[in-house]
Amino acid sequence: MKIKKLSILFSSSTFALLLASHAFAADSLRIGIEAAYPPFASKTGNGEIVGFDYDIGNALCAQMQVKCQWVEQEFDGLIPSLKVRKIDAILSSLIISEERRRSVDFTNRYYQSAGRIVMKEGANLGTSFSGLAGKRVGVQRAGIHDRFATEVLAPIGAQVIRYASLNEAYLDLIAGRLDAVQGDDVAVQIGFLDTPKGKGYAFAGQPLRDPEYFGNGVGVAVRKGDTALADRFNQALAAIRANGEYKAIQDHYFKFDIYGE
């Protein structure tokens, strides 16, 4: 009889532990981020992640009443990690594009951006980017800008050089190993042009907005079919935009409305 009672107690305890474990798992989200893209995500001298993406992610997690477990890695490894379930979502300035929609699902956008090319002041892109013929253009590997440069700029004679981060590309631009760098407008403006290193450089040509390459804003990526998580993110995003928290975070980093119309 005692053995039976102990067995029942053990089973009950095990079940309770399983429930607690499930509850803990449900109360946390592993979110992938690349911390080499200021002002959206970068690291302080103490190794702490800071930036607009990071703050928005923490605000969304707080709204959803879950704990953010940030998983830092290089940009080109984020989607593969999501697909093999090493992370639950990506919040790392991932542009919503039809190409990426074949691999992941997206939430509504949480900001908008355009592509820009930065060169020495006075540089002329020419007609249909003809001024880049024979020039070396740096892009972040495996991103939207890599695809645009490969499919649009390389055929007119540009040499596309790929980097793990734009910070590395900026260094080569300053050193004369590149003629141009292509990236998101806000990231290039704040992360390079507004810094002492960006002196003597400027945007060349017009903003790049072709939806085929530059999508329809920046969203949080989740695994294909995970509509429940996407909906939770969307509800949380609507809530922080309504209660003013989104604007407070935005105003800390930007002097304009990054969400857009």
Side-chain angles (χ1 to χ4, degrees):
M1 182 65 70
K2 288 182 179 180
I3 294 175
K4 186 174 181 181
K5 286 182 178 179
L6 285 172
S7 176
I8 292 172
L9 286 171
F10 178 77
S11 298
S12 299
S13 298
T14 303
F15 182 67
L17 286 171
L18 288 172
L19 284 177
S21 175
H22 176 75
F24 177 78
D27 286 344
S28 63
L29 283 175
R30 299 164 301 169
I31 301 181
I33 191 170
E34 182 211 34
Y37 197 54
F40 296 97
S42 59
K43 297 182 80 171
T44 66
N46 296 327
E48 297 177 354
I49 302 175
V50 295
F52 178 77
D53 282 347
Y54 181 73
D55 288 352
I56 288 293
N58 285 328
L60 293 174
C61 284
Q63 185 66 39
M64 293 187 288
Q65 297 184 334
V66 298
K67 178 183 177 182
C68 275
Q69 293 184 347
W70 292 97
V71 180
E72 183 191 351
Q73 63 182 93
E74 290 189 358
F75 188 82
D76 56 358
L78 289 170
I79 288 179
S81 289
L82 179 64
K83 294 172 78 171
V84 300
R85 297 180 177 272
K86 289 184 178 179
I87 55 178
D88 303 306
I90 300 169
L91 205 161
S92 192
S93 290
L94 204 62
I95 293 174
I96 302 167
S97 69
E98 290 307 312
E99 180 185 26
R100 284 178 175 153
R101 283 187 187 277
R102 292 194 284 268
S103 298
V104 300
D105 284 343
F106 281 98
T107 64
N108 298 334
R109 78 172 193 271
Y110 65 94
Y111 80 87
Q112 283 185 319
S113 67
R116 294 302 300 261
I117 294 171
V118 64
M119 302 177 72
K120 286 187 176 179
E121 288 180 343
N124 188 351
L125 286 185
T127 304
S128 300
F129 308 105
S130 60
L132 291 176
K135 304 293 186 181
R136 294 158 297 179
V137 181
V139 296
Q140 186 172 36
R141 183 172 55 244
I144 292 295
H145 301 285
D146 186 348
R147 179 172 169 241
F148 178 85
T150 299
E151 296 182 5
V152 177
L153 303 183
I156 57 96
Q159 181 182 359
V160 181
I161 312 296
R162 297 166 180 84
Y163 295 85
S165 74
L166 279 184
N167 290 332
E168 297 174 30
Y170 298 148
L171 292 175
D172 275 1
L173 180 65
I174 295 167
R177 290 186 286 269
L178 289 177
D179 301 292
V181 170
Q182 181 187 315
D184 286 349
D185 52 1
V186 177
V188 175
Q189 180 71 58
I190 298 178
F192 180 63
L193 292 178
D194 287 350
T195 71
K197 293 179 181 179
K199 185 177 181 180
Y201 295 88
F203 286 133
Q206 298 300 311
L208 310 173
R209 298 187 184 277
D210 185 343
E212 180 181 352
Y213 295 99
F214 302 102
N216 298 288
V218 172
V220 181
V222 299
R223 276 184 291 277
K224 289 294 282 184
D226 196 351
T227 55
L229 182 55
D231 287 345
R232 291 179 69 194
F233 272 115
N234 285 335
Q235 291 169 12
L237 177 59
I240 66 170
R241 280 187 51 75
N243 66 22
E245 190 169 4
Y246 180 96
K247 187 177 187 304
I249 295 171
Q250 169 192 273
D251 291 350
H252 179 72
Y253 292 98
F254 312 113
K255 298 178 182 179
F256 56 91
D257 178 11
I258 195 171
Y259 185 80
E261 297 180 359

